Amino acid sequence: MIKKLYTQADFLNLTNNDISKLKELLDLDIPDEIDDYEYLYENINILEENYEADKIISEKLLAGQVSVKWFEFRYNDDFTKEMLRERLENRELGYNVDITQRLKLNIQNDIVSIIKEGYVYTIRLFVADGYKRVTNGIQSRREPIVKSITVNLDIENCWIEIRTNEEKCKKVNKILESRLGLTNISGIRILKNYNNNINKFKDSLINGFYLKYKAIPSEETDFTEEDGIAIAIIVRAIDEYFNDKDDKKLLVTLEKMNYDTEGLSLGSILLAGIDNVGVKIRNNSEKDASEQSLYAILKDSLIEDSSYIRFSAVENGPEYTMQVCMNSNSIVFRSSVTEAVISYIRNKIL
């Protein structure tokens, strides 16, 4: 059923490794002058006849390197489950209709096709996304850009999964509201099950490893020249203490200073005048960001906005990297992932 939603562009979600595996499985010898992706799309029936090949395309064509954001909705007396089911299973919206038949209609900013698997409806939408200039070296022309967006909607558990960035999510939600009557859509907080703690989320994942983060200071701190001189003296005194372990010398230095440090912390001192902070762990590091001393010093003085986490979806399985965006409450898969990987993360968040 899901194959009814595939477009030629979806085959671009296959990696070079995926392409090589498909060629090997089917003993394909695609001529150099023929595009691999175009050939596989045009011969999709051959792929579907092979179990392993069909598994590769069904897991990757609507996934890959994708941004994902989740929402929830509610039913009420004026909007029931049966009403939603009836609107979804509408031939005018392409329910159970092959998407290739709908392409002829030049649909934009609307639902193109819908299929159902259990309680979950998978919806494809085409959304206008500006224009691009195309040139062949002699002539150029301006062409409209249309993005194909995948949405999963669970009518039983009342969640919506939109696979695109935050800006396009707003457009998609407007379409879902106008076409399906969904008026009580609200975003789901990525870390709601983890007390808004990225490390608790990381620890819940198989082989979770905190690779890097971007953050902003929780408070703006600015120092005068006098402040800077006093703080430099304090830091040098502490540095000397690490070398000579002379605590009396340290105390004498601090007592001589007539400087009010009330309300200051080491974190606020280090972040004075800083607009944002980015920290990346070395590739060979055995300890992730949360175990580094700098993180321990700064964590109470920072608001983390974007965190990169490496993880596996199964024990001893391949590793993937995702960007957890707390500000937009979305996940960006920086590795090419499968449907199973997205499902694994979805089950952690919902």
Side-chain angles (χ1 to χ4, degrees):
M1 291 291 289
I2 197 73
K3 69 178 182 180
K4 291 185 177 183
L5 300 181
Y6 297 153
T7 66
Q8 184 176 346
D10 294 328
F11 278 74
L12 297 176
N13 289 327
L14 296 172
T15 64
N16 289 334
N17 189 42
D18 294 329
I19 297 290
S20 297
K21 285 182 180 179
L22 291 171
K23 287 181 177 180
E24 182 180 347
L25 284 169
L26 301 171
D27 195 23
L28 296 176
D29 184 18
I30 303 175
D32 292 339
E33 64 271 17
I34 297 178
D35 181 74
D36 288 343
Y37 299 98
E38 185 177 350
Y39 179 89
L40 293 172
Y41 173 71
E42 291 177 352
N43 293 275
I44 189 172
N45 290 335
I46 297 175
L47 303 180
E48 292 170 339
E49 289 170 0
N50 182 288
Y51 174 79
E52 291 297 328
D54 184 57
K55 185 177 180 181
I56 291 173
I57 63 171
S58 63
E59 280 286 311
K60 290 298 284 290
L61 292 193
L62 301 184
Q65 288 182 291
V66 64
S67 299
V68 185
K69 189 172 172 66
W70 288 273
F71 300 83
E72 57 188 355
F73 63 92
R74 299 186 303 275
Y75 295 117
N76 53 44
D77 293 340
D78 298 320
F79 181 70
T80 65
K81 186 193 303 182
E82 290 306 316
M83 291 172 63
L84 178 57
R85 180 184 286 111
E86 183 178 341
R87 291 168 183 173
L88 284 163
E89 297 181 7
N90 185 342
R91 297 283 289 187
E92 290 184 7
L93 295 182
Y95 177 68
N96 215 18
V97 176
D98 196 307
I99 199 169
T100 55
Q101 299 178 30
R102 303 271 289 167
L103 295 179
K104 305 170 186 176
L105 303 177
N106 294 319
I107 297 170
Q108 288 189 28
N109 298 319
D110 203 353
I111 293 172
V112 181
S113 193
I114 304 173
I115 63 102
K116 175 186 177 185
E117 291 185 349
Y119 295 123
V120 178
Y121 290 80
T122 300
I123 306 166
R124 298 303 301 274
L125 302 93
F126 287 170
V127 175
D129 192 37
Y131 294 84
K132 65 178 178 180
R133 179 68 60 182
V134 179
T135 179
N136 61 5
I138 300 173
Q139 297 176 319
S140 68
R141 64 184 185 277
R142 188 167 177 255
E143 287 189 353
I145 301 173
V146 178
K147 295 290 186 180
S148 174
I149 296 172
T150 301
V151 174
N152 286 322
L153 190 154
D154 187 325
I155 64 169
E156 189 67 27
N157 298 296
C158 298
W159 56 259
I160 304 169
E161 175 183 273
I162 303 179
R163 298 183 181 181
T164 189
N165 61 34
E166 184 178 21
E167 181 183 352
K168 294 187 186 67
C169 278
K170 295 176 181 177
K171 294 182 180 180
V172 170
N173 277 332
K174 288 182 179 178
I175 295 170
L176 297 179
E177 289 173 358
S178 63
R179 297 301 258 161
L180 302 178
L182 289 161
T183 57
N184 294 316
I185 301 175
S186 58
I188 292 176
R189 288 190 300 111
I190 289 293
L191 302 178
K192 70 180 181 67
N193 295 331
Y194 306 93
N195 295 321
N196 209 39
N197 187 317
I198 187 67
N199 284 297
K200 288 183 179 180
F201 176 55
K202 178 259 297 182
D203 291 340
S204 76
L205 302 171
I206 299 172
N207 299 327
F209 189 90
Y210 201 171
L211 286 171
K212 62 179 179 176
Y213 61 86
K214 295 179 181 179
I216 59 173
S218 56
E219 296 181 1
E220 290 187 9
T221 306
D222 291 305
F223 292 134
T224 65
E225 183 177 353
E226 181 183 355
D227 292 329
I229 294 171
I231 290 168
I233 293 172
I234 294 172
V235 172
R236 280 198 296 269
I238 295 172
D239 192 41
E240 289 176 4
Y241 170 75
F242 284 141
N243 288 323
D244 57 31
K245 300 295 187 297
D246 189 341
D247 52 356
K248 291 182 179 179
K249 180 181 176 182
L250 174 62
L251 287 172
V252 169
T253 302
L254 296 178
E255 286 173 354
K256 284 183 178 179
M257 296 185 63
N258 184 22
Y259 182 69
D260 184 10
T261 59
E262 184 178 354
L264 291 179
S265 66
L266 182 55
S268 64
I269 292 172
L270 293 174
L271 295 171
I274 300 297
D275 183 57
N276 59 73
V277 175
V279 175
K280 180 181 179 182
I281 303 304
R282 293 196 308 267
N283 291 333
N284 62 350
S285 176
E286 295 182 359
K287 295 183 178 180
D288 73 7
S290 64
E291 298 177 277
Q292 303 298 325
S293 56
L294 182 61
Y295 183 83
I297 293 170
L298 297 180
K299 67 177 182 179
D300 293 332
S301 302
L302 290 174
I303 299 173
E304 293 172 59
D305 173 58
S306 184
S307 302
Y308 291 75
I309 295 176
R310 188 174 66 220
F311 68 99
S312 298
V314 294
E315 293 290 348
N316 302 316
E319 293 184 327
Y320 307 94
T321 300
M322 66 178 168
Q323 180 182 359
V324 183
C325 304
M326 276 76 85
N327 188 41
S328 62
N329 280 304
S330 61
I331 296 286
V332 182
F333 291 101
R334 295 302 181 182
S335 304
S336 180
V337 298
T338 63
E339 292 290 341
V341 174
I342 296 177
S343 178
Y344 172 70
I345 297 299
R346 180 198 304 133
N347 290 335
K348 292 288 183 180
I349 290 171
L350 298 185

